[in-house]
Amino acid sequence: DVKVTQSSRYLVKRTGEKVFLECVQDMDHENMFWYRQDPGLGLRLIYFSYDVKMKEKGDIPEGYSVSREKKERFSLILESASTNQTSMYLCASRLTGGLGAFFGQGTRLTVV
Amino acid sequence: GEDVEQSLFLSVREGDSSVINCTYTDSSSTYLYWYKQEPGAGLQLLTYIFSNMDMKQDQRLTVLLNKKDKHLSLRIADTQTGDSAIYFCAETWAGNMLTFGGGTRLMVKP
């Protein structure tokens, strides 16, 4: 079974802190994604990566950056956390041409 | 990305059938998907349908696809309280991307 693991289930950070959300997948998928999920807004794509060191902006990249130094790991970085970044963050991976995407369990981030 | 739309909420009684509807815009989608999200968890692939099919049945789940109207539905027969969750439809576009609907929260009353 594909496993996508996010480093934390719950995080509480202070405004202005630098925050790292880590995601690791074990199925050698080329593509990895970061989404944010907010009530009534569904899943919105922040960034995705189709290969090591490659990244593309999604629909809402402002305030975020990403890093993909190894194929299995995709990190989401909040350079200076703000309260409007309080949300559920979901990581996913996908094989190019494969069936669907596999999701991590989510990280609920609260910025106070 | 493309637009995928779903109604926000559905309430049914235990034992009834549930029908969750979705409209999408990308006519070139190869696969369309239904994901389930239980409280506090990530999304889990529930079922999918290939774009050249009209219907797919998998135990209590029936997926119907109307390509002409770009309409996808998920029917859950004999709905149970364990089916209470948020259901997302999704389509592929640009070969590699997935676009999700806003999710339909299904509440099953005993």
Side-chain angles (χ1 to χ4, degrees):
Chain A
D1 276 355
V2 174
K3 195 162 184 184
V4 180
T5 304
Q6 294 182 228
S7 53
S8 305
R9 290 293 300 270
Y10 301 95
L11 273 180
V12 180
K13 296 291 182 181
R14 293 194 180 279
T15 301
E17 277 193 78
K18 190 168 186 175
V19 182
F20 293 86
L21 302 183
E22 306 285 348
C23 176
V24 177
Q25 51 98 359
D26 66 358
M27 281 301 290
D28 206 35
H29 288 173
E30 305 94 340
N31 308 286
M32 296 187 75
F33 307 84
W34 275 106
Y35 292 90
R36 110 172 235 177
Q37 182 182 12
D38 299 288
L41 297 176
L43 272 68
R44 293 180 291 167
L45 182 64
I46 305 172
Y47 267 97
F48 69 98
S49 169
Y50 53 89
D51 201 350
V52 175
K53 296 193 188 295
M54 306 305 288
K55 60 186 179 185
E56 293 284 344
K57 292 179 181 179
D59 299 319
I60 51 162
E62 296 78 20
Y64 303 94
S65 62
V66 290
S67 172
R68 187 140 181 232
E69 296 298 316
K70 293 185 177 181
K71 193 173 187 180
E72 66 270 19
R73 186 181 296 270
F74 191 34
S75 302
L76 179 70
I77 303 153
L78 287 66
E79 295 289 342
S80 177
S82 63
T83 53
N84 63 12
Q85 292 179 308
T86 292
S87 187
M88 170 75 107
Y89 290 87
L90 292 164
C91 173
S93 75
R94 183 161 192 251
L95 190 65
T96 299
L99 200 61
F102 295 86
F103 282 81
Q105 77 278 24
T107 297
R108 185 164 293 282
L109 172 67
T110 302
V111 182
V112 297
Chain B
E2 305 298 325
D3 287 330
V4 179
E5 295 189 359
Q6 305 176 233
S7 53
L8 282 178
F9 189 74
L10 176 65
S11 177
V12 301
R13 293 210 173 274
E14 194 172 18
D16 287 350
S17 291
S18 308
V19 179
I20 302 171
N21 294 301
C22 170
T23 57
Y24 62 96
T25 57
D26 189 350
S27 57
S28 65
S29 292
T30 310
Y31 287 96
L32 293 125
Y33 305 91
W34 284 104
Y35 281 83
K36 177 182 181 182
Q37 184 183 33
E38 295 182 352
L43 275 68
Q44 179 185 13
L45 182 61
L46 196 60
T47 188
Y48 62 92
I49 188 166
F50 191 50
S51 58
N52 68 354
M53 298 169 66
D54 298 324
M55 184 180 86
K56 179 181 178 182
Q57 188 145 3
D58 183 1
Q59 299 182 334
R60 291 191 297 121
L61 305 178
T62 303
V63 180
L64 294 177
L65 176 60
N66 181 328
K67 284 194 75 173
K68 176 175 169 286
D69 294 338
K70 297 188 181 132
H71 183 265
L72 182 73
S73 68
L74 174 69
R75 179 176 180 268
I76 305 173
D78 186 26
T79 313
Q80 303 297 307
T81 53
D83 295 322
S84 293
I86 303 175
Y87 291 82
F88 292 90
C89 67
E91 64 169 345
T92 49
W93 63 276
N96 201 29
M97 301 302 296
L98 280 175
T99 296
F100 291 85
T104 299
R105 184 178 294 275
L106 174 64
M107 179 180 288
V108 183
K109 298 178 184 174

